[in-house]
């Protein structure tokens, strides 16, 4: 199920909220700053413990990492790093799609039944809002549809998940919220999800 809400993602009592982080994963401005402020210093400590894949990079662009939510109402924070928008011809759409796919997969692996996304990359990173929302909606719809197909296979007692893909037991019932900070952002999503 997909819902659009307008508000502050740090107030949501969902299983996971997604953070539009940067590669260092130690906080920043925008939604990242708001999430660190609300979660408390324990979140910074938890992020420090995420291993670097190379100096200064805990989460490469398009990937996702999970930490507890600490003082947030959400159980987990899933940190993902959207692309910095240049002109759309430097892999930005693919990287943004990967953010949604990898965040959803990580949520499912951790048994989450509800997840809220901010409009990744559309603030400081400058991704055009309409184009970013189209990618977000497409990826979430694809994920939920695939999860339903997987669940049907389990229902037919076929124990073999498709090759290369882990089974996500909680995914078919997952509630996905697009948490838009502004009414304008919410209107973009409402046009795409009538
Ligand atoms: N709740 C929901 N959405 C919010 C909130 C909030 N409390 N605050 C802002 N937004 P941005 P990016 C919306 O700039 O473009 C950071 O410094 C905002 O209106 O937070 O991916 C990181 O450390 C916009 O629609 O993220 C990175 O360096 C959306 O969140 C960089 O910014 C994303 O805006 C990431 O830039």
């Amino acid at each position: 199920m997909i819902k659009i809400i307008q508000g502050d993602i740090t107030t949501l009592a969902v299983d996971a909220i997604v953070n539009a982080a940067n590669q260092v994963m130690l906080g920043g401005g925008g939604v990242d700053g708001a999430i660190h402020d609300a979660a408390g210093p324990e979140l910074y400590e938890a992020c420090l413990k995420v291993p670097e894949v190379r100096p200064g990079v805990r989460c490469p662009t398009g990937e996702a990492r999970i930490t507890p939510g600490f003082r947030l109402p959400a159980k987990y924070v899933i940190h993902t790093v959207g692309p910095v928008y240049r002109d759309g011809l430097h892999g930005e759409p693919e990287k943004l799609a990967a953010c949604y796919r990898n965040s959803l997969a990580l949520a499912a692996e951790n048994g989450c039944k509800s997840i809220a996304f901010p409009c990744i990359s559309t603030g400081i990173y400058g991704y055009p809002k309409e184009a970013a929302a189209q990618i977000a909606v497409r990826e979430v719809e694809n994920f939920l549809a695939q999860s339903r197909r997987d669940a049907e296979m389990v229902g037919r007692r076929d124990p073999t998940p498709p090759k290369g893909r882990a089974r996500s037991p909680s995914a078919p019932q997952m509630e996905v919220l697009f948490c838009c900070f502004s009414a304008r952002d919410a209107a973009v999503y409402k046009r795409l999800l009538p």
Side-chain angles (χ1 to χ4, degrees), residues 5-12 17-36 80-84 96 117-127 129 179-182 185:
I5 58 159
Q6 191 200 330
D8 178 355
I9 203 166
T10 66
T11 65
L12 301 180
I17 62 169
V18 176
N19 182 17
N22 55 56
Q23 294 189 338
V24 193
M25 257 186 77
L26 296 177
V31 72
D32 193 5
I35 289 172
H36 274 268
T80 189
V81 181
V84 177
L96 187 61
F117 284 95
C119 308
I120 300 165
S121 275
T122 65
I124 293 163
Y125 282 178
Y127 210 113
K129 286 172 181 294
C179 178
C180 302
F181 208 37
S182 69
D185 286 354

Side-chain angles (χ1 to χ4, degrees), residues 41-173:
E42 299 92 338
L43 181 60
Y44 180 87
E45 294 301 323
C47 286
L48 260 186
K49 287 186 191 139
V50 173
E52 288 184 322
V53 295
R54 50 182 189 274
V57 178
R58 289 186 174 77
C59 184
T61 302
E63 295 190 14
R65 301 288 186 269
I66 193 164
T67 65
F70 299 104
R71 301 179 199 184
L72 289 164
K75 188 171 174 196
Y76 297 111
V77 179
I78 292 176
H79 308 259
T80 189
V81 181
V84 177
Y85 191 81
R86 289 169 67 184
D87 54 7
L89 302 172
H90 290 79
E92 299 97 322
E94 294 77 16
K95 291 285 188 207
L96 187 61
C99 286
Y100 284 91
R101 273 200 304 275
N102 288 324
S103 297
L104 289 162
L106 199 50
E109 275 165 41
N110 284 275
C112 295
K113 291 197 163 61
S114 54
I115 181 170
F117 284 95
C119 308
I120 300 165
S121 275
T122 65
I124 293 163
Y125 282 178
Y127 210 113
K129 286 172 181 294
E130 180 84 34
Q134 280 173 13
I135 290 169
V137 167
R138 183 193 72 209
E139 291 304 323
V140 168
E141 284 182 334
N142 285 348
F143 173 83
L144 293 175
Q146 187 60 57
S147 302
R148 277 193 294 274
R149 286 194 289 274
D150 288 357
E152 279 163 22
M153 265 179 43
V154 176
R156 280 192 255 113
R157 296 180 189 283
D158 179 346
T160 324
K163 210 168 175 233
R165 207 148 38 72
R167 175 125 48 234
S168 333
S170 66
Q173 306 89 32

